[in-house]
Amino acid sequence: MFPEHRPRRLRSNNTIRKMVRETHVLAEQLIFPLFVREGKGICEPIAAMPGQYRYSPDALTQVAKDTVEAGIPAVLLFGIPAKKDSYGTGAHKRDGVVQQAIRSIKDAAPELMVITDVCLCEYTDHGHCGILDENNNVMNDDTIEILAKVALSHAKAGSDMIAPSDMMDGRVGIIRDALDESGFENLPILSYAVKYASAFYGPFREAAGSAPAFGNRLAYQMDPANVREALREARFDIEEGADIIMVKPALPYLDVIRAIADEFDEPLCAYQVSGEYAMIKAAAASGWLAEEACIMESITSIKRAGADMIITYFAREIAEILS
Ligand code: PBG
């Protein structure tokens, strides 16, 4: 007790503060999400995500090089097809927008790890993450067959890691089998194991044009009130063959990240989603928050909660701040 204990001794200057620091943010554990749309020479700003763009596959080459230059090891690709249909067939075309983007990035920056999001919501005309029955319910078992095709088409195009984000039951297992059968047994799966039905995806849905045309995603994404369910979801995905598990969103779910980190040995990823990005950007633009400090504080807290790697739209700003 005071005056014997004086914790301020270890905060008195930057040298000692650094020496006792418990959590470190590393550029080498950041993943930068990118939106790719059909076309040529396109770099289109996303209104709800200032500083983020929709790129055509050819325009990604410069971004890929800059990302490597910045010390960011990986990107996560989301595709926005020119045409959508009720089955999301654009998602597994050999020459689909993501498949083209993978090849274009691999040509420009072979050392950049390309992770590909596997979901149907950007490719279906109704905006749901799977295909619908006559009552507009998302059909689980038929959807995962399609997702396996999508994953395989990404693998064939050169993806370095498959990231299913649809929240259908059993999709990790069926994707693992499809990859193994085609000789991709060494391709890892980063599973969106714990994905909540979050309002913080709003800006993403504008960016990807993937908002559901009717209803919501409550019948497949998780209830924000649940944490024991998160442990079950993670366990099932690990049993089905997930190599890395993810919690999404990040900041409103730090307790969930901590619970998963305590329970499982698998590497853990957290996704600082579009709404988390937009909040900081908007407040900073109004002069209400200090942008850099808030970015670093939020990322540090996600790491402190137990995440190993972090998907963040701030990846390049963070790399810049760290250097
Ligand atoms: C696709 C998907 C979404 C996000 C990642 N993959 C949107 C959603 O589930 O509606 C959100 C990412 C973000 O908000 O940054 N299912």
Side-chain angles (χ1 to χ4, degrees):
M1 239 176 308
F2 177 80
E4 286 72 31
H5 292 288
R6 288 183 179 272
R8 288 186 56 189
R9 285 182 196 128
L10 301 183
R11 293 180 208 136
S12 60
N13 64 63
N14 204 30
T15 306
I16 196 138
R17 285 194 292 270
K18 272 193 185 162
M19 202 169 264
V20 300
R21 184 162 297 154
E22 300 172 36
T23 307
H24 296 91
V25 174
L26 302 171
E28 69 200 46
Q29 292 185 307
L30 301 177
I31 299 166
F32 185 39
L34 290 172
F35 297 95
V36 54
R37 51 154 290 170
E38 305 270 7
K40 267 211 155 56
I42 294 168
C43 171
E44 184 179 67
I46 299 165
M49 301 175 71
Q52 304 300 314
Y53 302 85
R54 296 182 201 92
Y55 300 97
S56 51
D58 61 315
L60 275 177
T61 57
Q62 192 53 47
V63 188
K65 288 181 190 153
D66 295 346
T67 304
V68 171
E69 183 84 2
I72 309 291
V75 292
L76 171 62
L77 291 186
F78 294 100
I80 308 159
K83 280 203 207 92
K84 307 188 185 215
D85 62 30
S86 57
Y87 295 98
T89 43
H92 52 81
K93 285 202 320 215
R94 208 200 78 84
D95 214 24
V97 67
V98 163
Q99 291 80 355
Q100 289 175 48
I102 298 168
R103 294 187 201 103
S104 138
I105 293 175
K106 284 288 159 193
D107 282 347
E111 65 273 55
L112 186 62
M113 186 191 296
V114 179
I115 307 174
T116 51
D117 184 272
V118 168
C119 192
L120 297 186
C121 63
E122 301 103 312
Y123 300 88
T124 51
D125 48 16
H126 45 72
H128 279 285
C129 301
I131 59 173
L132 305 177
D133 68 12
E134 61 283 3
N135 299 317
N136 282 341
N137 292 314
V138 175
M139 295 191 288
N140 192 88
D141 299 15
D142 299 271
T143 297
I144 62 176
E145 303 273 348
I146 302 176
L147 294 169
K149 276 196 200 175
V150 178
L152 193 55
S153 77
H154 289 181
K156 286 179 177 161
S159 172
D160 294 305
M161 197 181 290
I162 301 295
S165 72
D166 51 282
M167 287 304 278
M168 299 300 123
D169 296 328
R171 89 273 207 221
V172 172
I174 198 169
I175 289 173
R176 186 70 271 161
D177 287 347
L179 294 175
D180 290 357
E181 276 163 25
S182 295
F184 294 105
E185 63 277 351
N186 286 322
L187 194 61
I189 297 178
L190 161 59
S191 166
Y192 289 70
V194 180
K195 178 173 176 181
Y196 287 93
S198 172
F200 288 97
Y201 307 151
F204 175 98
R205 291 179 190 172
E206 185 227 292
S210 65
F214 57 85
N216 53 50
R217 304 207 200 289
L218 295 174
Y220 39 102
Q221 298 181 347
M222 285 177 51
D223 183 340
N226 296 352
V227 64
R228 295 201 304 273
E229 185 185 4
L231 299 177
R232 289 200 296 278
E233 280 283 4
R235 184 173 310 116
F236 296 155
D237 280 12
I238 291 165
E239 285 167 3
E240 287 177 32
D243 300 282
I244 303 174
I245 48 180
M246 190 200 300
V247 173
K248 176 188 171 191
L251 207 57
Y253 297 88
L254 294 179
D255 59 323
V256 179
I257 296 173
R258 171 46 56 199
I260 300 274
D262 285 345
E263 182 81 9
F264 300 102
D265 297 332
E266 280 67 19
L268 180 55
C269 178
Y271 196 147
Q272 182 180 50
V273 301
S274 57
E276 299 176 63
Y277 176 83
M279 282 195 299
I280 292 179
K281 279 286 178 191
S286 298
W288 297 337
L289 286 176
E291 182 167 350
E292 286 195 0
C294 286
I295 293 172
M296 291 312 286
E297 188 175 332
S298 62
I299 289 290
T300 301
S301 72
I302 295 164
K303 284 225 95 179
R304 193 191 60 231
D308 299 301
M309 62 211 91
I310 302 174
I311 302 169
T312 173
Y313 302 95
F314 288 122
R316 286 169 59 182
E317 279 101 321
I318 296 167
E320 178 83 42
I321 295 166
L322 290 174
S323 65

